[in-house]
């Protein structure tokens, strides 16, 4: 359990540090939207191969929820993963805050309306996050299943996350991960913390939708 907890803590910390760090420390003017998207994607690829053998590299409460709904994880294990993931995200955001010139005032938090990079409202944010999380979960459960492409799973998952960011950064900054949203929002406070509920609800709904497709064997490969 200690190894699993540590792996999920470190993995989520790295995801937030590299992904949100690319946005905060690199910035749109230097690395651009594509660079930020690739930072999130590459962070997942690296962690998938680095800690995947230890914990499966969920590094995302929505992914753990999907694994539980799909019947691939126990409730107890899901709770352990959640604690590690949320704490890891806070640690990653804290490291960014200690480095950034702006301190903890801007940590790459997700948002809608004024908090959206492109000025998108709540409706657009919820639709995007639900759909994107469902797609993300479908890819993860598909490539990590008994008949998945194990050796290439990390690459497939990372590329999917990168594409999701390319499409959605202007909408919400992209969450599809309640922990990734919580860490920056908690330390940044203000509007980011007030809006973080949306990035718990929408990814959870999307995760359940994606997971049910496997639970009811709609997308499970034939035996």
């Amino acid at each position: 359990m200690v190894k699993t907890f540590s792996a999920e803590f470190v993995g989520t910390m790295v995801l937030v540090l590299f992904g949100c760090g690319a946005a905060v420390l690199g910035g749109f003017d230097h690395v651009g939207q594509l660079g930020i998207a690739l930072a999130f994607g590459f962070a997942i690829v690296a962690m998938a191969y680095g800690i995947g053998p230890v914990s499966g590299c969920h590094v995302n409460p929505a992914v753990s929820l999907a694994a539980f709904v799909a019947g691939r994880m126990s409730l107890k294990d899901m709770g352990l993963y959640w604690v590690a993931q949320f704490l890891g995200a806070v640690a990653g955001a804290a490291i960014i805050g200690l480095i950034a010139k702006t301190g903890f005032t801007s940590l790459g938090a997700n948002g809608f309306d004024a908090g959206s990079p492109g000025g998108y409202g709540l409706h657009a944010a919820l639709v995007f996050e639900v759909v994107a999380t469902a797609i993300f979960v479908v890819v993860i459960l598909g490539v990590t299943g008994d008949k998945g492409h194990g050796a290439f799973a990390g690459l497939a998952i990372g590329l999917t996350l990168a594409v999701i960011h390319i499409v959605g950064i202007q909408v919400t900054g992209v969450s599809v991960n309640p922990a990734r949203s919580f860490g920056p929002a908690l330390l940044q406070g203000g509007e980011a913390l007030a809006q973080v509920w949306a990035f718990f609800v929408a990814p959870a709904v999307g995760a359940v939708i994606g997971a049910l497709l496997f639970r009811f064997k709609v997308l499970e490969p034939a035996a």
Side-chain angles (χ1 to χ4, degrees):
M1 282 298 183
V2 174
K3 289 183 178 180
T4 299
F5 183 94
S6 300
E8 286 297 304
F9 176 91
V10 170
T12 313
M13 179 188 70
V14 169
L15 176 67
V16 172
L17 175 60
F18 286 177
C20 295
V24 176
L25 305 176
F28 283 94
D29 293 340
H30 297 285
V31 300
Q33 181 167 320
L34 178 60
I36 296 168
L38 291 177
F40 275 101
F42 289 162
I44 284 292
V45 173
M47 288 298 97
Y49 294 111
I51 67 169
V54 181
S55 68
C57 188
H58 290 192
V59 299
N60 182 340
V63 173
S64 298
L65 174 61
F68 170 72
V69 173
R72 300 186 186 181
M73 171 176 257
S74 70
L75 181 63
K76 178 182 177 181
D77 285 346
M78 182 178 71
L80 175 72
Y81 274 55
W82 280 4
V83 173
Q85 291 156 359
F86 281 110
L87 290 177
V90 173
I95 293 171
I96 296 172
L98 292 172
I99 297 170
K101 294 178 180 178
T102 54
F104 292 87
T105 61
S106 178
L107 297 173
N110 300 118
F112 52 87
D113 292 332
S116 162
Y120 287 83
L122 177 60
H123 175 264
L126 292 176
V127 171
F128 172 78
E129 291 292 337
V130 168
V131 173
T133 307
I135 293 170
F136 192 40
V137 162
V138 164
V139 172
I140 293 170
L141 294 179
V143 300
T144 59
D146 292 338
K147 295 189 177 181
H149 303 284
F152 298 98
L155 184 60
I157 294 167
L159 289 175
T160 302
L161 186 61
V163 171
I164 287 172
H165 277 78
I166 291 171
V167 174
I169 282 179
Q170 289 300 313
V171 183
T172 62
V174 181
S175 172
V176 301
N177 182 336
R180 172 263 181 268
S181 298
F182 177 75
L186 178 68
L187 300 183
Q188 190 171 317
E191 184 178 49
L193 189 56
Q195 293 186 351
V196 77
W197 65 268
F199 305 102
F200 278 65
V201 174
V205 172
V208 170
I209 292 172
L212 288 177
L213 295 175
F214 287 85
R215 182 78 179 193
F216 295 124
K217 301 189 183 303
V218 176
L219 293 179
E220 282 283 5

